[in-house]
Amino acid sequence: MLFQKLILAGVLFLLLTAQTPIQKKEKKEDQRFKANNSFTAPVVKVLQGDLISVELDGKTISIRLAEIDAPEIRQPFSRQSRNFVEELVLTKRVTVVVKTFDLFKRVVGEV
C-alpha cells in the first residue's frame, strides 16, 4: 500500500512538473541577416579570395562571397586571389546582400 502511494505521488509529481513550460530566452534574430536583406560595413580583413571579415556593431562577421570559388589556402594561386580581393575591398565600406548561411554559419552574400 505504501509502495503504491509512493508510485502514485511520483507519477503526479511528474505530470504536474511536465505541465510547467520551461522559459527559454529566445535570441533576437537580427533582421539584417535574413535572405535578401542588406547591410553596409567596413571590411577589416580578407582571409581568402572568397572570404572577408566586416565589422558590424563592434563585432567581426565573416562573409563568404556568393558565387565565388577561390583557391583554398596552400592551393596554387590562393595568395594571388587573396591579394586581388584585398586590393578591391580592404578598409572600404561595402554593402552585403545576404543570400544564405554556409555550414559554418557564416553569411553568404553578394558584395
Side-chain angles (χ1 to χ4, degrees):
M1 184 74 170
L2 180 62
F3 182 70
Q4 290 174 340
K5 286 182 181 179
L6 285 173
I7 297 287
L8 182 60
V11 168
L12 285 174
F13 174 77
L14 289 174
L15 288 173
L16 290 173
T17 57
Q19 295 296 325
T20 308
I22 298 173
Q23 296 292 329
K24 289 185 179 179
K25 286 186 178 180
E26 291 187 25
K27 283 187 177 180
K28 248 187 178 179
E29 280 192 33
D30 196 333
Q31 294 298 315
R32 293 176 289 195
F33 300 133
K34 296 265 186 186
N36 295 320
N37 285 355
S38 64
F39 59 90
T40 302
V43 177
V44 293
K45 190 171 187 178
V46 175
L47 302 161
Q48 296 178 18
D50 58 356
L51 181 63
I52 63 173
S53 293
V54 298
E55 187 171 320
L56 188 63
D57 299 332
K59 295 180 183 177
T60 302
I61 299 168
S62 293
I63 308 292
R64 175 70 62 185
L65 302 179
E67 302 177 25
I68 302 294
D69 185 18
E72 301 299 321
I73 296 173
R74 291 188 222 106
Q75 286 184 337
F77 301 104
S78 66
R79 187 171 299 147
Q80 291 90 331
S81 173
R82 187 190 74 223
N83 291 344
F84 180 75
V85 174
E86 278 183 352
E87 289 176 21
L88 289 175
V89 298
L90 190 60
T91 70
K92 295 180 182 168
R93 290 187 65 80
V94 296
T95 299
V96 178
V97 179
V98 178
K99 293 301 174 188
T100 187
F101 287 87
D102 66 6
L103 296 174
F104 302 102
K105 297 186 179 176
R106 293 179 294 217
V107 172
V108 177
E110 292 178 358
V111 177

